[in-house]
Amino acid sequence: MLSGTGRHIEEWANPRAVIFLTLLFLGTLWSLVVFSAITTRQESIDATGDRLQRMNHAVEEETRRYVDLVAVFLAACEQSLAANPAHDPRSDAVLRNLVEGFRARTGGAIDIRLVARDGSLVDVVETAATPLANVADSDYVRGALAGPGLSIGHPVQSPLSGRHGLPVALRLRQPAHDIHILLAVIDLPTLQDTYEEQRQKPGGTIALLRRDGTVLASAPGDEGLPGQSIADGKLFREHLAQEPRGVVLVEETTGRQAREFTSYSSMPDLPLVITVSENYDAALAPWLRHTLWIVLLAFGVTVPTTVVAYRSLRLLRALASRDAQLHRLSTTDGLTGASSRQHFVDELADQMETARRQASALTVLLFNIDFFQRINDGYGHAVGDQVLVAFARVARGCLRERDLLGRLGAGEFAILLPGTAVEEAVLVAERVRRETAEIAIATENGTVQFTASAGLTAAHMADSSVDDLLKRAAKALHDARTGGHDRVVVA
């Protein structure tokens, strides 16, 4: 069970698995970050739209309250004039008291005046030292004369107070003497202060527009803005032309060049349009801060994860290198590079099983360097090591890639020849023997030359173990050595 667990751990604890799992984790992490950023941004946009629509509705109701109040005042004045047809409106005490009451009840936010047939303005409360302006050519007078109902004109500026007002005119159904039109003027600063209390701060704007695109009032207040037209803007050209109300992202609102979320509504019973806007960057600032924290957190996870993965890869490479070194030390002779004894025996056992299963040939050769102990004693172990290395080099040069050279003892080597019959193995053994005899190693005490004896045998179906095969090969080697050395004997 422990070995199974070890193999399971080894399958995961490898460089490819570490890289794959790290990339999978980081990919999932950043996918969640991107998904969260996209979804929360849309949620922020939707929340902004809902908030602007609620504000738009509140502003529309407040504006309607002003207009309804004006309609009530004008209707009351018209009824007063109709009830007293013989009275001159300019000096009618009842009308003057009524207008004074309107002014007082609205704190001067709404003023009532009269417009004569020739277009001259009449103030029934205060007698002007000089005639008031003639408004015969004004848009609200022309609108009132053109049809029934309220006519809302361009903002006007009072020559006395200098304050801007929003004129709302109503044509009398029955003219009183030379008075044909009643005029109510809504104080724009007062209306804009009402809008200012409701607008989103900072950066939010509220605008009251006429349906032809004329700016009537705005918050924050801008003296140069009332009376301007934004009919050429995208809001009027595209959005209002398709839907009477909605929430859109526009690049221009109320004359300001800005990227804003805008909620707009066209009042069905009045020629008015309400827009409530919020700066794009200000609206998305909370989302941006939230996303920034998430990104920083993701970076905070990514960096240590990458460091851990990198260090893990280095550790795995070091472990792999150490394992490879340990494997090499356990399976390879450190001096000659030949297979170690245990590794050779293990490979021989596997090849015997394969040969038995496939009914193929298998031959084992045992070589012994003649008089190797004398070389060690006479020339030293350093020269003896050179002899072993030289023999291993020569033997390896005579073998195929699939063959295996192993070192079994001090001067004893073995060669495993899979798929090779005895006749072919003899040729290999003779070639190794001949080339060994040609080796010459120069030393301080002269040139060292040596020979090697070999015994070989083929695997039999009757062999019950590796020992049976090696014993026959060892007997053949013994016969070669006792028969005079430097020869090959087959068992």
Side-chain angles (χ1 to χ4, degrees), residues 162-181:
R163 294 169 71 89
H164 284 83
L166 182 63
V168 181
L170 175 68
R171 186 182 67 179
L172 293 172
R173 285 173 288 186
Q174 295 293 330
H177 292 254
D178 66 337
I179 302 301
H180 279 232
I181 294 174

Side-chain angles (χ1 to χ4, degrees), residues 234-300:
K234 190 174 182 180
L235 178 63
F236 275 79
R237 289 197 324 268
E238 298 181 9
H239 303 301
L240 265 170
Q242 298 176 1
E243 295 290 340
R245 61 180 61 238
V247 178
V248 294
L249 177 63
V250 296
E251 300 292 337
E252 51 185 9
T253 55
T254 61
R256 295 178 176 86
Q257 296 297 319
R259 197 177 187 196
E260 296 179 330
F261 292 109
T262 299
S263 172
Y264 67 91
S265 64
S266 177
M267 300 174 68
D269 54 342
L270 293 172
L272 299 176
V273 175
I274 305 292
T275 66
V276 178
S277 302
E278 186 173 351
N279 182 269
Y280 177 88
D281 295 330
L284 293 184
W287 164 80
L288 187 60
R289 288 193 296 269
H290 177 263
T291 302
L292 180 61
W293 279 111
I294 292 179
V295 170
L296 290 177
L297 179 62
F299 269 115

Side-chain angles (χ1 to χ4, degrees), residues 335-336 384-394 396 413:
L335 176 64
T336 63
D385 290 345
Q386 294 182 50
V387 169
L388 294 175
V389 171
F391 174 81
R393 183 176 62 252
V394 166
R396 195 176 291 110
F413 291 83

Side-chain angles (χ1 to χ4, degrees), residues 51-62:
R51 182 172 61 253
L52 291 178
Q53 284 183 319
R54 290 194 299 271
M55 292 177 60
N56 189 293
H57 179 73
V59 172
E60 183 176 329
E61 290 301 311
E62 185 67 21

Side-chain angles (χ1 to χ4, degrees), residues 420-447:
T420 305
V422 172
E423 296 78 9
E424 297 171 332
V426 170
L427 297 178
V428 174
E430 287 292 346
R431 180 182 174 188
V432 172
R433 184 190 65 78
R434 290 194 306 270
E435 293 189 12
T436 299
E438 296 175 359
I439 297 173
I441 300 175
T443 69
E444 295 178 354
N445 299 321
T447 301

Side-chain angles (χ1 to χ4, degrees), residues 247-469:
V247 178
V248 294
L249 177 63
V250 296
E251 300 292 337
E252 51 185 9
T253 55
T254 61
R256 295 178 176 86
Q257 296 297 319
R259 197 177 187 196
E260 296 179 330
F261 292 109
T262 299
S263 172
Y264 67 91
S265 64
S266 177
M267 300 174 68
D269 54 342
L270 293 172
L272 299 176
V273 175
I274 305 292
T275 66
V276 178
S277 302
E278 186 173 351
N279 182 269
Y280 177 88
D281 295 330
L284 293 184
W287 164 80
L288 187 60
R289 288 193 296 269
H290 177 263
T291 302
L292 180 61
W293 279 111
I294 292 179
V295 170
L296 290 177
L297 179 62
F299 269 115
V301 174
T302 299
V303 172
T305 300
T306 304
V307 171
V308 169
Y310 173 73
R311 293 179 67 88
S312 298
L313 288 174
R314 291 190 60 183
L315 178 61
L316 288 175
R317 282 196 294 266
L319 291 175
S321 176
R322 190 191 66 176
D323 290 346
Q325 184 177 6
L326 292 176
H327 179 73
R328 186 170 55 254
L329 291 175
S330 64
T331 60
T332 306
D333 178 60
L335 176 64
T336 63
S339 175
S340 66
R341 181 184 183 90
Q342 185 59 48
H343 183 251
F344 184 87
V345 171
D346 292 340
E347 285 295 316
L348 177 57
D350 292 341
Q351 291 296 332
M352 286 181 66
E353 181 63 27
T354 301
R356 183 179 294 109
R357 187 173 59 255
Q358 298 178 355
S360 59
L362 176 67
T363 304
V364 173
L365 286 67
L366 293 183
F367 274 91
N368 191 82
I369 297 176
D370 297 330
F371 310 110
F372 178 70
Q373 189 60 44
R374 293 182 184 179
I375 297 175
N376 271 338
D377 295 341
Y379 294 92
H381 289 281
V383 174
D385 290 345
Q386 294 182 50
V387 169
L388 294 175
V389 171
F391 174 81
R393 183 176 62 252
V394 166
R396 195 176 291 110
C398 299
L399 302 179
R400 302 165 301 182
E401 185 176 353
R402 60 186 296 194
D403 301 333
L404 180 64
L405 172 68
R407 184 183 176 192
L408 305 186
E412 187 174 354
F413 291 83
I415 296 177
L416 178 61
L417 300 177
T420 305
V422 172
E423 296 78 9
E424 297 171 332
V426 170
L427 297 178
V428 174
E430 287 292 346
R431 180 182 174 188
V432 172
R433 184 190 65 78
R434 290 194 306 270
E435 293 189 12
T436 299
E438 296 175 359
I439 297 173
I441 300 175
T443 69
E444 295 178 354
N445 299 321
T447 301
V448 175
Q449 289 185 298
F450 57 93
T451 59
S453 301
L456 63 90
T457 185
H460 300 155
M461 294 296 293
D463 292 333
S464 59
S465 66
V466 172
D467 291 340
D468 294 343
L469 184 61

Side-chain angles (χ1 to χ4, degrees), residues 43-162:
E43 290 173 357
S44 181
I45 291 174
D46 294 340
T48 299
D50 292 341
R51 182 172 61 253
L52 291 178
Q53 284 183 319
R54 290 194 299 271
M55 292 177 60
N56 189 293
H57 179 73
V59 172
E60 183 176 329
E61 290 301 311
E62 185 67 21
T63 304
R64 187 181 299 279
R65 188 180 70 83
Y66 268 93
V67 176
D68 290 345
L69 194 59
V70 165
V72 171
F73 288 174
L74 293 179
C77 291
E78 184 177 18
Q79 289 179 2
S80 176
L81 292 175
N84 301 282
H87 294 179
D88 185 354
R90 289 180 173 83
S91 57
D92 186 358
V94 176
L95 180 62
R96 182 173 62 251
N97 292 335
L98 189 61
V99 172
E100 285 180 340
F102 291 160
R103 288 184 180 179
R105 292 169 71 179
T106 61
I110 299 177
D111 193 11
I112 305 296
R113 293 175 184 173
L114 311 178
V115 180
R117 185 191 305 273
D118 62 357
S120 59
L121 282 176
V122 177
D123 191 334
V124 299
V125 176
E126 299 177 2
T127 303
T130 59
L132 298 179
N134 189 290
V135 294
D137 293 331
S138 64
D139 58 344
Y140 54 88
V141 169
R142 293 195 303 269
L145 294 175
L150 300 179
S151 173
I152 301 175
H154 283 68
V156 295
Q157 186 176 17
S158 171
L160 299 178
S161 64

